[in-house]
Amino acid sequence: MAHPLSSLGPAPRVAVIGASGGIGGAFVRVLEGQGGEVLAFSRSAADGHGFIDIGDEASIAAAAERAGRVDAVLVATGLLHDGAMQPEKDWRALDAEAFARAFAVNATGPALVAKHFLERMPRRGRSILGVLSARVGSVSDNRKGGWYAYRASKAALNQVLRTLAVEAARKRPDLVIAGLQPGTVRTALSAPFAAGQGEGTLAPDEAARHLLAVLDGLAPAMSGRLFDWRGEEFPP
């Protein structure tokens, strides 16, 4: 069976950031045993994962140092809700601390992962940076409102990815950078909002396989853009 990222060759080295999460863990499961090496990083550092704290640049730099050369990096971290922090339905719920936390995890953290891990990728030859984004981060596609901090932080992430792609076209022309919309996946992040969707939801491993197939099929000319799990592009 071909490797899920066969465009990188038969034995790529793939770093998964956020490997203890629903989709991050699914990336690890789908990739393991397919050839190459999977380097799993998470804040819990469970199941043999390397430690990384997406909110701590020193931790990110140390993880990149530990990883060494990589052909692909998959960033599967994200924050929508956490205890008292919930998606806002009303502007009266806007909170500075919630905004700061959302941006730290959803935008700043992936940007710093790129800062430290892209230096570990080949200057020539295909490589991939795939980051979980969200369709609700699309400014032009916002028709329902609400979810201010999450929407704004994912929109910021999309701008980061586009800007990285512009620079990478000069420095690493074979690098593909993409934001990924996984759909509604049966994970802890989406569980409170997936009620009643039934067959409209995806199992984590199914979502991971779809997303890997999308990444594997992207050409460098498509770098910096946003794609859902079906491979359909959506607007920033």
Side-chain angles (χ1 to χ4, degrees):
M1 181 180 296
H3 191 280
L5 295 175
S6 59
S7 63
L8 296 173
R13 300 186 84 241
V14 182
V16 178
I17 313 300
S20 62
I23 297 177
F27 278 142
V28 173
R29 289 191 297 272
V30 172
L31 289 167
E32 281 184 333
Q34 299 298 314
E37 186 176 359
V38 182
L39 308 163
F41 293 93
S42 69
R43 189 168 61 178
S44 66
D47 301 322
H49 298 170
F51 177 75
I52 194 169
D53 181 348
I54 200 74
D56 179 7
E57 184 173 2
S59 166
I60 295 170
E65 179 73 22
R66 177 175 175 178
R69 180 193 64 81
V70 291
D71 300 298
V73 177
L74 306 175
V75 182
T77 55
L79 176 63
L80 172 59
H81 59 89
D82 184 11
M85 177 182 171
Q86 296 293 324
E88 311 93 340
K89 298 179 180 179
D90 187 302
W91 61 51
R92 290 170 293 186
L94 295 178
D95 178 78
E97 183 178 348
F99 259 74
R101 291 186 63 206
F103 270 77
V105 174
N106 296 333
T108 307
L112 294 175
V113 168
K115 173 184 175 179
H116 292 283
F117 276 83
L118 291 184
E119 294 298 313
R120 306 286 174 175
M121 291 183 170
R123 293 188 179 277
R124 294 288 175 180
R126 183 174 175 83
S127 54
I128 294 172
L129 172 64
V131 183
L132 292 190
S133 184
R135 190 181 293 271
V136 297
S138 170
V139 175
S140 57
D141 194 43
N142 183 356
R143 296 178 176 85
K144 293 184 178 180
W147 293 25
Y148 287 87
Y150 189 70
R151 284 184 187 276
S153 60
K154 287 295 187 178
L157 169 64
N158 296 343
Q159 181 68 278
V160 167
L161 297 177
R162 175 59 184 167
T163 305
L164 288 169
V166 171
E167 183 174 353
R170 302 190 302 268
K171 295 181 175 178
R172 284 171 171 75
D174 302 312
L175 170 64
V176 172
I177 297 172
L180 302 169
Q181 158 66 16
T184 303
V185 184
R186 295 191 287 274
T187 65
L189 182 143
S190 63
F193 313 101
Q197 296 196 36
E199 295 181 358
T201 65
L202 298 172
D205 286 23
E206 181 184 8
R209 284 191 291 270
H210 281 296
L211 295 174
L212 291 170
V214 170
L215 287 172
D216 203 44
L218 296 179
M222 305 166 83
S223 191
R225 290 152 64 177
L226 309 170
F227 300 90
D228 70 14
W229 61 275
R230 304 177 188 86
E232 297 176 359
E233 186 174 0
F234 62 95

